[in-house]
Each structure stands twice: as structure tokens, then as C-alpha cells.
Amino acid sequence: MKEIVVTGDRPTGKLHLGHYVGSLRKRVEMMESGKYEMYVFSADMQGLTDNAKNTDKIKENVFEVIKDNLSVGIDPERVTLFVQSGVPELTELTTYYLNLVTLSRLKRNPTIKEEIKLRGFEESVPVGFLTYPISQAADITAFNATLVPVGEDQIPILEQVCEIVDTFNKTYGETLVRPKYVLPENKNSRRLPGIDGKAKMSKSMNNCIYLSDDTETVRKKVMSMYTDPNHIKVTDPGNTENNPVFIYLDAFCKDREKYESLKNQYEKGGLGDKVVKEYLFEVIEETLKPIREKRKYYDAHPEIVEEIVKEGTKKARTKAQETLQKVREKIGVEYFNN
Ligand code: TRP
């Protein structure tokens, strides 16, 4: 039997290069290997957990996220693409799992803690938001997923998912499957900094290069990137460690020899930022060109995207129903013979 892979993206905005190297590229690689049964979804219900009054944003992006996945090369013939809210079984699973987690455990989750801080929620955090690791446990276990390709920030969420699986199985008998997260091998791909040098590429920080940016926009963004502030003259030795230009090159450059030689030259002195940025622009464009082409096709054919998602959601639902049935039986939520 094939191993099962599940992953999702919140439709709170278009996906960017950080998503690409952090998770999308890995999905495509896994798909190409032919070794896995795969599910990828637009996590609209999770997106709503901190956007209850901002529903337009979610609605506008539900299909954008699907298109981002299609554009990077996810093939709907080989991967089931669906929308989370189209599978209500996930919500029922969530309700059963809610009873297996304590409030204090949720509040201790480092990712949740950090996200609450970032949004300035403090005590007024929406309950749905605080409990999203639990609904994520439903997303993952509904499909018996063993592998979950995600960004590094999702590790504590996956740890909590595993705890829920263990508690469920201990309480009701072996039922759910324990998942593992999958990160990119390349360390710099795990968390891409923003073009401004801030720790993370993030829509709210306005420091992203989007998969859907056109060539001119990408050029402008790359040429304006933060580099080593102490690398003033071309002849000065430069720092490549905390330098987003080199971090991006490490994440994107396929010509490893060239990457190593540029890095050496920059560290020794004698290589200007402009030259490196020109090269980085070329490298990123090489990645983005085919993505843009595919996106153009799907942008022109929304009916095809809709059909893909409709079919995928039907398939995902059937699979989730099987798990839900088992879960109900184990808990004893079964009161009628027929
Ligand atoms: N939390 C993920 C994110 O913010 C999205 C997500 C929801 C997800 N459900 C999932 C990822 C299940 C992996 C598996 O990007």
C-alpha cells in the first residue's frame, strides 16, 4: 500500500516563494516519485479562525491557493485537490478530538503562542483559532496520513496532532495513524527570510515575492533586497550567512558550483551586490516562468479549476467518511441498528 501524504494551505493570500521552497516544491517532488497517495487542500475553515469578520479575503483566495498548487506542477490526475469546508466530516472529527485536549496544553503550543502574540490577540483569541491544531488533527487523520509536508513553523502543531492520535488510540483502541512532518533537506529552504532581511517572508510584513508576481515586479523586488549592510565597497569582504540574497541563492540555485564560487568570492571581497542580485533574479525567473505559464492557463479557465476541486472534494469526502465511521464506532456514537 502507498504511504499517504496530506497537506493544506490557508487561503489568506496568494502563496509566495517561502511557501514554494518550504513545502510546495517538496509536494511536487513527492508526487513525481509516484510513491504516495496525495491530498492537498485549501484550508478555508482554518483561514476563518482569525478572519471571522474578513470572510471576503478567504473567499477570494480559496481558488487562488488551489491555482498556486496547480501552477507549481501539482497534477490533479495524481493528487486529490479539495476545499476543507466541502468535507464536513472533518468538523465532526474535530468535535470528538476537542474532548481529548486541555486548554493549558493548547496555550502552551509554541506556534499558537507566537501567532497569538503576532496578531495581538492576548486573552481575546477566538476559540476557533486557539483550537486549530485540533482541527488540523482531523484534517490529517481523516486520510490516515503518515507524511505531512509543511513549513518549519508547523512542527509544534504536528507534535500536538501526534498527542491527539496517541490519546485517542489509548482511550478507544488503535484507530488513528500517527503522522510525521516532512521538511526540505536544504536548511535555508525551511524558513526563507523576507526581501527586507526580516526572519520570515510574510504577507503582513509586505516583504514577499509572490508566485504570481510578473517579471518586472520580481526584478524590482530582487534589486531592492537587503544584503550585508557592512559590504559597502565591492572589494570589502561580505557576509553570506544572514544575507537573504545568498540564502535565496542557496534555496533556488541548481548550479551548486556556481553558487559555491559566488559565495567564496563574496566572502573574500571583490563581488558586488548588484552582480549577485542580477544572477539571483535570473535563477528565480527560471523557477517562476513555467509557474506563470501554467497559472495563465488556469486563470483563463476557472471552470476547469472548479471541476478539479469539485471532483477532488467528492473523493476526499468518501475517504473521510470511512475514518469518521470508525471513530464513531470506537467512541460508541452508534445508537441504531440501521
Ligand atoms: N496550518 C497550515 C498552515 O497554516 C494549514 C493546514 C491546515 C495544514 N490543515 C493542515 C497543513 C493539515 C498540513 C496538514 O499553513
Side-chain angles (χ1 to χ4, degrees):
M1 254 211 337
K2 282 186 173 180
E3 270 202 86
I4 298 171
V5 177
V6 169
T7 191
D9 307 292
R10 288 184 209 168
T12 48
K14 284 184 280 196
L15 302 186
H16 53 61
L17 292 186
H19 295 116
Y20 179 73
V21 294
S23 170
L24 296 171
R25 187 162 64 180
K26 190 85 207 165
R27 297 174 197 177
V28 177
E29 218 180 277
M30 292 176 105
M31 179 191 82
E32 298 287 358
S33 78
K35 286 198 268 189
Y36 308 102
E37 177 181 328
M38 291 181 68
Y39 299 83
V40 174
F41 66 100
S42 194
D44 59 337
M45 298 189 64
Q46 189 173 112
L48 285 167
T49 60
D50 62 335
N51 285 290
K53 294 178 183 147
N54 235 334
T55 54
D56 283 353
K57 178 163 90 182
I58 304 300
K59 193 163 182 195
E60 276 161 25
N61 286 298
V62 165
F63 287 103
E64 289 305 314
V65 158
I66 298 285
K67 275 193 275 181
D68 281 327
N69 276 282
L70 289 167
S71 311
V72 300
I74 292 294
D75 171 6
E77 299 286 326
R78 288 183 276 174
V79 175
T80 303
L81 286 157
F82 71 95
V83 176
Q84 191 184 25
S85 60
V87 186
E89 287 73 13
L90 299 175
T91 313
E92 187 174 336
L93 283 174
T94 303
T95 306
Y96 300 129
Y97 298 170
L98 278 167
N99 306 329
L100 305 175
V101 183
T102 64
L103 185 58
S104 62
R105 173 63 182 93
L106 280 171
K107 284 187 175 168
R108 257 189 291 121
N109 186 311
T111 300
I112 297 292
K113 250 168 122 169
E114 182 59 32
E115 288 182 313
I116 288 176
K117 206 163 103 196
L118 214 70
R119 289 163 175 74
F121 280 147
E122 297 184 13
E123 283 302 305
S124 22
V125 56
V127 173
F129 186 81
L130 186 68
T131 56
Y132 92 69
I134 303 176
S135 76
Q136 200 154 320
D139 301 337
I140 293 168
T141 55
F143 304 96
N144 301 321
T146 49
L147 298 173
V148 183
V150 281
E152 197 180 37
D153 61 313
Q154 293 287 301
I155 295 174
I157 309 285
L158 265 287
E159 282 166 354
Q160 194 161 3
V161 169
C162 285
E163 278 177 36
I164 294 171
V165 168
D166 291 345
T167 308
F168 190 100
N169 290 344
K170 228 174 32 211
T171 311
Y172 304 112
E174 209 55 41
T175 317
L176 304 176
V177 181
R178 226 166 183 270
K180 286 196 187 77
Y181 54 81
V182 182
L183 298 177
E185 287 84 15
N186 178 298
K187 284 224 173 71
N188 275 329
S189 295
R190 294 181 186 173
R191 179 174 296 227
L192 211 60
I195 55 172
D196 57 358
K198 298 256 165 63
K200 202 178 157 185
M201 195 176 264
S202 156
K203 186 177 154 63
S204 57
M205 293 201 261
N206 201 16
N207 61 5
C208 307
I209 297 177
Y210 292 99
L211 295 177
S212 51
D213 277 347
D214 61 30
T215 303
E216 235 357 83
T217 310
V218 175
R219 169 180 280 282
K220 268 195 211 127
K221 287 182 179 174
V222 171
M223 295 324 274
S224 76
M225 268 175 81
Y226 176 90
T227 63
D228 174 8
N230 298 317
H231 185 241
I232 297 164
K233 284 195 291 234
V234 172
T235 48
D236 289 342
N239 179 357
T240 57
E241 285 296 311
N242 303 312
N243 187 332
V245 174
F246 278 91
I247 294 175
Y248 285 26
L249 270 182
D250 186 24
F252 284 96
C253 188
K254 293 197 189 99
D255 184 346
R256 299 314 286 178
E257 255 174 58
K258 172 125 189 190
Y259 163 71
E260 289 298 336
S261 105
L262 287 175
K263 198 169 159 215
N264 279 335
Q265 220 184 329
Y266 193 87
E267 282 167 1
K268 264 198 238 132
L271 180 61
D273 284 304
K274 188 152 180 287
V275 177
V276 194
K277 284 178 174 177
E278 285 287 356
Y279 181 60
L280 175 62
F281 166 68
E282 266 174 48
V283 166
I284 292 180
E285 271 297 286
E286 205 183 303
T287 302
L288 287 183
K289 252 193 206 139
I291 297 178
R292 248 183 237 127
E293 283 304 307
K294 282 216 187 72
R295 178 173 265 282
K296 223 190 264 166
Y297 170 78
Y298 289 111
D299 276 342
H301 297 284
E303 72 290 352
I304 292 179
V305 180
E306 225 171 88
E307 197 50 39
I308 288 169
V309 175
K310 237 193 221 161
E311 278 304 304
T313 304
K314 226 193 271 168
K315 229 168 114 186
R317 223 184 146 181
T318 306
K319 184 97 181 176
Q321 273 161 354
E322 287 169 22
T323 305
L324 179 59
Q325 186 52 32
K326 271 195 232 153
V327 162
R328 283 175 150 236
E329 278 167 26
K330 288 288 170 88
I331 301 179
V333 187
E334 260 199 325
Y335 310 118
F336 309 101
N337 303 316
N338 296 316

